[in-house]
Amino acid sequence: MVSRVRVWLNRTYAENVFFMDQLRHNPHARPVDIHATHGDADSPVLAAADTADLEPEGLSPAAYVEYALDQCAKRGIDVFVPRLHQAALAAHREEFAAVGTALLAPTAEAIDLFEDKVTAYEAVQAHGVPVPPWFRVTNADELVAAVDELEEAGHRACFKPAAGAGGVGFRVVSRAPFSLSHLSGFPSPHVQLDLVVEALRAAGEPVDWLVMPRLEQPEVSVDCLTGPDGRVRMAVGRTKNGRRRGFSQNPAWIEPARRIAEGFGLHHLTNIQFRMFGDEPVLMDVNTRPAGGLHQLALCGINAPWAAVRLALGEETGDVVPTRLGQDYTVVSGTRPVRPVVLPHQVETPVAVVVPEPESVEARTLAVGTPVACKPSADRPLAV
Protein backbone atom coordinates (compact mmCIF):
# COMPACT_ATOMS: atom_id res chain seq x y z
CA MET A 1 0.00 0.00 0.00
CA VAL A 2 1.31 3.47 -0.91
CA SER A 3 1.77 5.57 2.21
CA ARG A 4 -0.13 8.83 2.59
CA VAL A 5 1.92 12.04 2.79
CA ARG A 6 0.91 14.68 5.33
CA VAL A 7 1.99 18.24 4.40
CA TRP A 8 1.60 21.43 6.47
CA LEU A 9 1.66 25.00 5.12
CA ASN A 10 1.76 27.74 7.76
CA ARG A 11 0.37 31.24 7.25
CA THR A 12 1.09 31.04 3.57
CA TYR A 13 -0.04 33.22 0.68
CA ALA A 14 -3.54 32.76 -0.72
CA GLU A 15 -2.04 31.77 -4.08
CA ASN A 16 -0.74 28.58 -2.54
CA VAL A 17 -4.16 27.02 -2.98
CA PHE A 18 -2.66 26.14 -6.36
CA PHE A 19 0.38 24.60 -4.63
CA MET A 20 -2.06 22.44 -2.67
CA ASP A 21 -3.98 21.47 -5.81
CA GLN A 22 -0.79 20.25 -7.46
CA LEU A 23 0.19 18.17 -4.46
CA ARG A 24 -3.16 16.37 -4.58
CA HIS A 25 -2.98 15.82 -8.35
CA ASN A 26 0.57 14.49 -8.30
CA PRO A 27 1.72 12.25 -11.17
CA HIS A 28 2.35 9.30 -8.83
CA ALA A 29 -1.29 9.34 -7.66
CA ARG A 30 0.01 9.28 -4.11
CA PRO A 31 -2.53 10.31 -1.45
CA VAL A 32 -1.71 13.65 0.16
CA ASP A 33 -3.38 15.22 3.21
CA ILE A 34 -2.83 18.93 3.70
CA HIS A 35 -2.90 20.79 6.99
CA ALA A 36 -3.01 24.59 6.92
CA THR A 37 -2.77 27.24 9.60
CA HIS A 38 -3.28 30.97 9.28
CA GLY A 39 -4.03 34.09 11.29
CA ASP A 40 -6.86 35.10 8.93
CA ALA A 41 -9.97 32.94 9.20
CA ASP A 42 -10.93 33.95 5.65
CA SER A 43 -7.70 32.80 4.02
CA PRO A 44 -8.67 30.43 1.18
CA VAL A 45 -5.85 28.07 2.11
CA LEU A 46 -7.82 27.12 5.24
CA ALA A 47 -10.84 26.14 3.15
CA ALA A 48 -8.65 24.27 0.66
CA ALA A 49 -6.91 22.17 3.34
CA ASP A 50 -8.04 18.82 4.68
CA THR A 51 -7.54 20.11 8.23
CA ALA A 52 -7.03 23.70 9.34
CA ASP A 53 -6.42 25.75 12.47
CA LEU A 54 -6.23 29.44 13.30
CA GLU A 55 -2.76 30.25 14.57
CA PRO A 56 -2.24 31.87 17.96
CA GLU A 57 -1.29 35.53 17.70
CA GLY A 58 1.65 37.26 19.33
CA LEU A 59 4.01 34.30 19.61
CA SER A 60 7.72 35.11 19.63
CA PRO A 61 9.84 33.19 17.10
CA ALA A 62 11.02 30.86 19.89
CA ALA A 63 7.46 30.25 21.09
CA TYR A 64 6.34 29.68 17.51
CA VAL A 65 8.97 26.97 17.09
CA GLU A 66 7.49 25.17 20.11
CA TYR A 67 4.00 25.57 18.68
CA ALA A 68 5.16 24.18 15.31
CA LEU A 69 6.94 21.20 16.87
CA ASP A 70 3.77 20.36 18.76
CA GLN A 71 1.66 20.65 15.60
CA CYS A 72 4.02 18.35 13.68
CA ALA A 73 4.08 15.71 16.41
CA LYS A 74 0.34 15.86 17.08
CA ARG A 75 -0.73 15.76 13.44
CA GLY A 76 1.95 13.42 12.09
CA ILE A 77 3.32 15.95 9.60
CA ASP A 78 5.76 14.46 7.07
CA VAL A 79 6.74 17.69 5.29
CA PHE A 80 6.42 21.22 6.71
CA VAL A 81 6.50 24.16 4.25
CA PRO A 82 7.08 27.19 6.51
CA ARG A 83 6.67 30.83 5.58
CA LEU A 84 6.09 32.61 8.91
CA HIS A 85 9.24 32.55 11.12
CA GLN A 86 11.05 30.61 8.42
CA ALA A 87 14.58 31.30 9.73
CA ALA A 88 13.76 30.40 13.33
CA LEU A 89 12.12 27.17 12.23
CA ALA A 90 15.00 26.24 9.91
CA ALA A 91 17.45 26.66 12.80
CA HIS A 92 15.64 23.78 14.55
CA ARG A 93 15.63 21.41 11.58
CA GLU A 94 17.04 18.50 13.59
CA GLU A 95 14.32 18.82 16.23
CA PHE A 96 11.66 18.59 13.52
CA ALA A 97 13.44 15.57 12.05
CA ALA A 98 13.32 13.96 15.49
CA VAL A 99 9.49 14.06 15.42
CA GLY A 100 9.45 12.74 11.84
CA THR A 101 9.02 16.03 9.97
CA ALA A 102 11.17 17.25 7.07
CA LEU A 103 11.41 21.03 6.66
CA LEU A 104 10.96 22.23 3.09
CA ALA A 105 13.08 25.35 3.59
CA PRO A 106 16.65 26.55 2.94
CA THR A 107 19.31 26.62 5.62
CA ALA A 108 18.82 29.16 8.41
CA GLU A 109 22.08 30.86 7.35
CA ALA A 110 20.80 31.36 3.79
CA ILE A 111 17.45 32.72 4.99
CA ASP A 112 19.21 35.22 7.28
CA LEU A 113 21.62 36.27 4.52
CA PHE A 114 18.92 37.02 1.96
CA GLU A 115 16.63 38.76 4.44
CA ASP A 116 18.88 41.81 4.10
CA LYS A 117 19.18 42.97 0.50
CA VAL A 118 22.48 44.79 1.01
CA THR A 119 24.33 41.82 2.49
CA ALA A 120 22.70 39.68 -0.21
CA TYR A 121 23.97 41.94 -2.99
CA GLU A 122 27.46 42.00 -1.50
CA ALA A 123 27.55 38.22 -1.18
CA VAL A 124 26.29 37.36 -4.66
CA GLN A 125 28.50 40.00 -6.27
CA ALA A 126 31.50 38.25 -4.70
CA HIS A 127 30.21 35.08 -6.42
CA GLY A 128 30.36 36.80 -9.80
CA VAL A 129 26.64 37.59 -10.17
CA PRO A 130 25.94 41.12 -11.50
CA VAL A 131 23.92 43.42 -9.23
CA PRO A 132 22.68 46.99 -9.75
CA PRO A 133 24.35 49.93 -8.02
CA TRP A 134 22.80 50.61 -4.63
CA PHE A 135 22.99 52.94 -1.64
CA ARG A 136 21.91 52.12 1.90
CA VAL A 137 20.32 55.21 3.46
CA THR A 138 19.05 55.98 6.95
CA ASN A 139 17.99 59.65 6.76
CA ALA A 140 16.81 62.43 4.46
CA ASP A 141 20.26 63.78 3.61
CA GLU A 142 21.54 60.35 2.60
CA LEU A 143 18.42 59.79 0.50
CA VAL A 144 18.83 63.06 -1.40
CA ALA A 145 22.54 62.38 -1.99
CA ALA A 146 21.81 58.90 -3.37
CA VAL A 147 19.00 60.13 -5.62
CA ASP A 148 21.18 62.99 -6.91
CA GLU A 149 24.00 60.59 -7.79
CA LEU A 150 21.73 58.18 -9.61
CA GLU A 151 19.95 60.93 -11.54
CA GLU A 152 23.28 62.51 -12.54
CA ALA A 153 24.21 59.14 -14.04
CA GLY A 154 21.00 59.17 -16.07
CA HIS A 155 18.95 56.76 -13.96
CA ARG A 156 15.52 57.03 -12.38
CA ALA A 157 15.87 56.41 -8.65
CA CYS A 158 13.69 54.19 -6.51
CA PHE A 159 13.83 52.94 -2.93
CA LYS A 160 12.54 50.05 -0.86
CA PRO A 161 13.17 48.60 2.60
CA ALA A 162 16.50 46.81 2.95
CA ALA A 163 14.53 43.90 4.42
CA GLY A 164 11.15 42.83 3.13
CA ALA A 165 9.35 40.87 0.45
CA GLY A 166 6.72 41.24 -2.23
CA GLY A 167 7.64 44.80 -3.16
CA VAL A 168 6.20 46.19 0.09
CA GLY A 169 7.45 49.76 0.54
CA PHE A 170 8.80 50.06 -3.02
CA ARG A 171 8.55 53.59 -4.45
CA VAL A 172 9.84 55.36 -7.55
CA VAL A 173 11.20 58.85 -6.86
CA SER A 174 9.66 61.78 -8.75
CA ARG A 175 10.77 65.43 -8.85
CA ALA A 176 7.40 66.60 -10.21
CA PRO A 177 5.50 68.76 -7.70
CA PHE A 178 2.45 67.15 -6.17
CA SER A 179 -0.68 68.20 -8.05
CA LEU A 180 -4.21 67.08 -8.88
CA SER A 181 -2.78 64.96 -11.70
CA HIS A 182 -1.41 62.63 -9.03
CA LEU A 183 -4.95 62.08 -7.72
CA SER A 184 -6.39 60.90 -11.03
CA GLY A 185 -6.35 57.35 -12.28
CA PHE A 186 -5.13 54.45 -10.18
CA PRO A 187 -2.62 54.82 -7.31
CA SER A 188 0.97 54.77 -8.49
CA PRO A 189 4.27 53.74 -6.88
CA HIS A 190 5.69 57.17 -7.78
CA VAL A 191 6.27 59.52 -4.86
CA GLN A 192 7.52 63.11 -4.73
CA LEU A 193 11.04 63.44 -3.31
CA ASP A 194 10.21 66.60 -1.36
CA LEU A 195 7.31 64.84 0.40
CA VAL A 196 9.53 61.90 1.34
CA VAL A 197 12.23 64.23 2.68
CA GLU A 198 9.64 66.16 4.69
CA ALA A 199 8.22 62.94 6.15
CA LEU A 200 11.68 61.65 7.09
CA ARG A 201 12.64 64.85 8.88
CA ALA A 202 9.30 65.04 10.68
CA ALA A 203 9.64 61.43 11.86
CA GLY A 204 12.94 62.12 13.57
CA GLU A 205 13.98 58.48 13.45
CA PRO A 206 16.18 56.50 11.06
CA VAL A 207 14.97 54.28 8.24
CA ASP A 208 16.76 51.38 6.56
CA TRP A 209 16.22 51.78 2.84
CA LEU A 210 17.93 50.62 -0.30
CA VAL A 211 18.15 53.27 -3.04
CA MET A 212 18.90 52.01 -6.53
CA PRO A 213 18.11 52.62 -10.22
CA ARG A 214 14.67 51.71 -11.52
CA LEU A 215 15.39 48.44 -13.33
CA GLU A 216 13.78 47.66 -16.65
CA GLN A 217 11.72 44.75 -17.99
CA PRO A 218 11.65 41.91 -18.67
CA GLU A 219 11.58 40.58 -15.14
CA VAL A 220 12.59 36.94 -14.96
CA SER A 221 11.80 34.88 -11.87
CA VAL A 222 13.82 31.67 -11.83
CA ASP A 223 12.13 28.95 -9.78
CA CYS A 224 14.80 26.66 -8.36
CA LEU A 225 14.59 23.27 -6.68
CA THR A 226 17.81 22.34 -4.91
CA GLY A 227 18.51 19.24 -2.89
CA PRO A 228 20.05 19.17 0.60
CA ASP A 229 23.20 17.99 -1.20
CA GLY A 230 23.42 21.44 -2.81
CA ARG A 231 22.71 20.26 -6.37
CA VAL A 232 20.05 22.08 -8.38
CA ARG A 233 17.42 19.72 -9.80
CA MET A 234 15.27 22.40 -11.44
CA ALA A 235 15.84 25.96 -12.68
CA VAL A 236 13.13 27.43 -14.93
CA GLY A 237 12.65 31.11 -15.67
CA ARG A 238 9.20 32.71 -15.75
CA THR A 239 9.33 35.92 -17.78
CA LYS A 240 7.15 38.96 -17.12
CA ASN A 241 6.88 41.87 -19.50
CA GLY A 242 3.81 43.90 -18.62
CA ARG A 243 0.84 41.57 -18.82
CA ARG A 244 2.66 39.09 -21.06
CA ARG A 245 4.17 36.00 -19.45
CA GLY A 246 6.35 33.21 -20.76
CA PHE A 247 9.12 30.80 -19.89
CA SER A 248 12.85 30.89 -20.50
CA GLN A 249 15.84 28.58 -20.30
CA ASN A 250 18.22 31.34 -21.42
CA PRO A 251 21.59 30.91 -19.65
CA ALA A 252 21.69 34.68 -19.03
CA TRP A 253 19.07 34.07 -16.30
CA ILE A 254 19.47 30.40 -15.47
CA GLU A 255 23.22 30.20 -14.86
CA PRO A 256 23.46 33.01 -12.26
CA ALA A 257 20.38 31.59 -10.51
CA ARG A 258 22.05 28.17 -10.31
CA ARG A 259 25.23 29.77 -8.99
CA ILE A 260 23.30 31.51 -6.21
CA ALA A 261 21.19 28.47 -5.27
CA GLU A 262 24.18 26.13 -5.13
CA GLY A 263 26.57 28.60 -3.55
CA PHE A 264 24.46 29.74 -0.60
CA GLY A 265 22.54 26.70 0.66
CA LEU A 266 19.25 27.71 -0.96
CA HIS A 267 17.86 24.21 -0.57
CA HIS A 268 14.39 23.17 -1.65
CA LEU A 269 12.13 25.71 -3.40
CA THR A 270 13.40 29.25 -3.91
CA ASN A 271 12.77 32.05 -6.37
CA ILE A 272 15.54 34.26 -7.76
CA GLN A 273 14.52 37.40 -9.62
CA PHE A 274 16.38 39.35 -12.28
CA ARG A 275 15.75 42.52 -14.26
CA MET A 276 17.66 44.55 -16.83
CA PHE A 277 20.17 47.27 -15.97
CA GLY A 278 20.97 48.69 -19.37
CA ASP A 279 21.79 45.67 -21.53
CA GLU A 280 22.77 43.44 -18.61
CA PRO A 281 20.58 41.14 -16.52
CA VAL A 282 21.18 41.86 -12.82
CA LEU A 283 19.89 40.33 -9.62
CA MET A 284 16.83 42.06 -8.20
CA ASP A 285 15.82 39.83 -5.29
CA VAL A 286 16.08 36.35 -3.78
CA ASN A 287 13.02 34.78 -2.17
CA THR A 288 13.81 31.89 0.17
CA ARG A 289 10.31 30.44 -0.29
CA PRO A 290 8.19 28.99 -3.09
CA ALA A 291 6.91 31.71 -5.40
CA GLY A 292 3.18 32.36 -5.63
CA GLY A 293 3.38 31.80 -9.39
CA LEU A 294 5.13 28.44 -9.06
CA HIS A 295 2.03 26.58 -10.25
CA GLN A 296 2.41 28.20 -13.68
CA LEU A 297 5.24 25.75 -14.39
CA ALA A 298 2.48 23.22 -15.05
CA LEU A 299 2.34 24.81 -18.51
CA CYS A 300 5.89 23.47 -18.95
CA GLY A 301 4.91 19.99 -17.82
CA ILE A 302 6.37 20.41 -14.31
CA ASN A 303 4.68 19.74 -10.98
CA ALA A 304 7.23 21.59 -8.83
CA PRO A 305 5.44 21.27 -5.45
CA TRP A 306 5.30 17.49 -5.75
CA ALA A 307 8.94 17.25 -6.86
CA ALA A 308 9.92 19.36 -3.84
CA VAL A 309 7.95 17.19 -1.41
CA ARG A 310 9.52 14.04 -2.84
CA LEU A 311 13.00 15.54 -2.46
CA ALA A 312 12.23 16.59 1.13
CA LEU A 313 11.19 12.99 1.86
CA GLY A 314 14.56 11.75 0.62
CA GLU A 315 13.27 10.44 -2.71
CA GLU A 316 15.52 11.29 -5.65
CA THR A 317 13.70 13.19 -8.39
CA GLY A 318 16.53 13.45 -10.89
CA ASP A 319 16.68 16.57 -13.02
CA VAL A 320 13.27 18.25 -13.32
CA VAL A 321 13.20 19.86 -16.75
CA PRO A 322 10.45 21.36 -18.92
CA THR A 323 8.87 19.04 -21.45
CA ARG A 324 7.88 22.17 -23.37
CA LEU A 325 8.06 25.95 -22.99
CA GLY A 326 4.73 26.63 -24.66
CA GLN A 327 3.31 29.88 -25.97
CA ASP A 328 3.18 33.16 -24.08
CA TYR A 329 0.26 33.64 -21.73
CA THR A 330 -1.38 36.03 -19.34
CA VAL A 331 -3.20 35.35 -16.10
CA VAL A 332 -6.53 36.47 -14.70
CA SER A 333 -8.14 36.43 -11.29
CA GLY A 334 -10.39 33.63 -10.16
CA THR A 335 -12.41 32.69 -7.09
CA ARG A 336 -11.85 30.18 -4.31
CA PRO A 337 -14.15 29.31 -1.40
CA VAL A 338 -13.51 30.41 2.16
CA ARG A 339 -14.68 28.62 5.26
CA PRO A 340 -18.34 29.17 6.21
CA VAL A 341 -19.02 31.57 9.06
CA VAL A 342 -22.15 32.45 10.98
CA LEU A 343 -22.90 36.18 10.96
CA PRO A 344 -26.38 37.65 11.42
CA HIS A 345 -26.24 39.85 8.33
CA GLN A 346 -25.09 37.14 5.93
CA VAL A 347 -27.38 35.10 3.70
CA GLU A 348 -26.85 31.40 3.09
CA THR A 349 -24.97 31.68 -0.18
CA PRO A 350 -21.49 30.40 -1.12
CA VAL A 351 -18.71 32.78 -0.25
CA ALA A 352 -15.66 33.18 -2.46
CA VAL A 353 -12.53 35.30 -2.53
CA VAL A 354 -10.44 36.52 -5.44
CA VAL A 355 -6.99 34.92 -5.38
CA PRO A 356 -4.39 37.12 -7.11
CA GLU A 357 -0.82 36.10 -7.77
CA PRO A 358 1.65 38.08 -5.57
CA GLU A 359 3.48 40.60 -7.64
CA SER A 360 6.25 42.94 -6.72
CA VAL A 361 5.18 46.55 -7.10
CA GLU A 362 8.24 46.80 -9.33
CA ALA A 363 6.64 44.47 -11.87
CA ARG A 364 3.53 46.69 -12.00
CA THR A 365 1.43 43.94 -13.54
CA LEU A 366 -2.16 42.93 -12.90
CA ALA A 367 -3.17 40.53 -10.15
CA VAL A 368 -3.42 37.04 -11.57
CA GLY A 369 -4.50 33.52 -10.90
CA THR A 370 -5.31 31.27 -13.87
CA PRO A 371 -3.05 31.26 -16.97
CA VAL A 372 -4.64 32.38 -20.25
CA ALA A 373 -2.79 32.22 -23.58
CA CYS A 374 -1.53 35.39 -25.29
CA LYS A 375 -0.67 36.01 -28.91
CA PRO A 376 3.03 35.36 -29.60
CA SER A 377 5.45 38.26 -29.49
CA ALA A 378 8.97 38.55 -30.86
CA ASP A 379 9.80 41.41 -28.51
CA ARG A 380 11.15 39.54 -25.44
CA PRO A 381 14.82 40.49 -24.82
CA LEU A 382 16.86 37.54 -23.54
CA ALA A 383 13.68 35.58 -22.77
CA VAL A 384 14.01 32.63 -25.11
Side-chain angles (χ1 to χ4, degrees), residues 198-207:
E198 181 182 346
L200 283 172
R201 289 181 172 149
E205 58 186 36
V207 294

Side-chain angles (χ1 to χ4, degrees), residues 301-313:
I302 293 176
N303 186 329
W306 178 243
V309 165
R310 288 188 63 207
L311 204 57
L313 291 171

Side-chain angles (χ1 to χ4, degrees), residues 72-377:
C72 289
K74 182 171 63 177
R75 295 188 173 274
I77 302 298
D78 297 302
V79 178
F80 179 19
V81 187
R83 188 196 69 83
L84 182 67
H85 295 314
Q86 191 189 49
L89 293 163
H92 292 267
R93 191 181 305 271
E94 292 182 2
E95 294 174 46
F96 284 95
V99 298
T101 302
L103 281 187
L104 204 155
T107 64
E109 293 78 14
I111 297 168
D112 285 335
L113 172 65
F114 289 104
E115 178 68 21
D116 185 291
K117 292 177 173 59
V118 170
T119 59
Y121 279 2
E122 291 171 343
V124 300
Q125 192 171 32
H127 260 62
V129 176
V131 300
W134 79 88
F135 303 84
R136 189 170 209 157
V137 305
T138 61
N139 57 47
D141 291 338
E142 292 174 353
L143 173 67
V144 171
V147 171
D148 285 345
E149 187 167 337
L150 287 171
E151 290 182 343
E152 286 170 8
H155 306 301
R156 173 173 286 186
C158 62
F159 64 87
K160 56 186 175 182
V168 174
F170 172 81
R171 298 292 186 272
V172 179
V173 175
S174 171
R175 298 274 189 172
F178 186 79
S179 67
L180 283 177
S181 65
H182 294 100
L183 300 178
S184 63
F186 292 104
S188 161
H190 292 78
V191 63
Q192 285 63 44
L193 180 60
D194 58 336
L195 297 182
V196 180
V197 169
E198 181 182 346
L200 283 172
R201 289 181 172 149
E205 58 186 36
V207 294
D208 188 13
W209 290 348
L210 195 67
V211 181
M212 56 191 291
R214 176 76 163 92
L215 301 177
E216 300 303 324
Q217 297 189 86
E219 178 180 321
V220 180
S221 295
V222 181
D223 294 309
C224 293
L225 173 62
T226 308
D229 58 1
R231 186 172 73 82
V232 172
R233 306 313 199 267
M234 179 193 81
V236 182
R238 289 183 290 111
T239 65
K240 305 176 184 180
N241 201 338
R243 184 180 294 195
R244 181 171 295 273
R245 309 298 174 90
F247 300 102
S248 175
Q249 290 287 269
N250 192 312
W253 317 106
I254 302 301
E255 291 309 314
R258 283 180 170 272
R259 200 176 311 152
I260 293 170
E262 291 177 346
F264 294 98
L266 287 172
H267 302 161
H268 302 290
L269 285 172
T270 55
N271 177 258
I272 303 172
Q273 300 175 342
F274 300 88
R275 271 197 171 219
M276 300 299 294
F277 179 60
D279 296 327
E280 182 182 38
V282 294
L283 178 70
M284 184 171 72
D285 208 354
V286 174
N287 296 309
T288 61
R289 52 168 176 78
L294 183 69
H295 63 282
Q296 293 166 20
L297 294 185
L299 297 176
C300 294
I302 293 176
N303 186 329
W306 178 243
V309 165
R310 288 188 63 207
L311 204 57
L313 291 171
E315 302 173 12
E316 181 51 60
T317 62
D319 290 336
V320 180
V321 297
T323 60
R324 59 193 181 275
L325 290 186
Q327 71 180 99
D328 288 359
Y329 63 99
T330 190
V331 282
V332 295
S333 297
T335 60
R336 297 289 292 221
V338 296
R339 295 197 303 177
V341 294
V342 179
L343 293 176
H345 67 276
Q346 287 192 328
V347 295
E348 293 297 322
T349 55
V351 182
V353 64
V354 171
V355 180
E357 174 193 52
E359 290 292 349
S360 64
V361 178
E362 295 147 296
R364 297 189 65 195
T365 56
L366 295 181
V368 298
T370 306
V372 178
C374 280
K375 293 181 180 179
S377 170

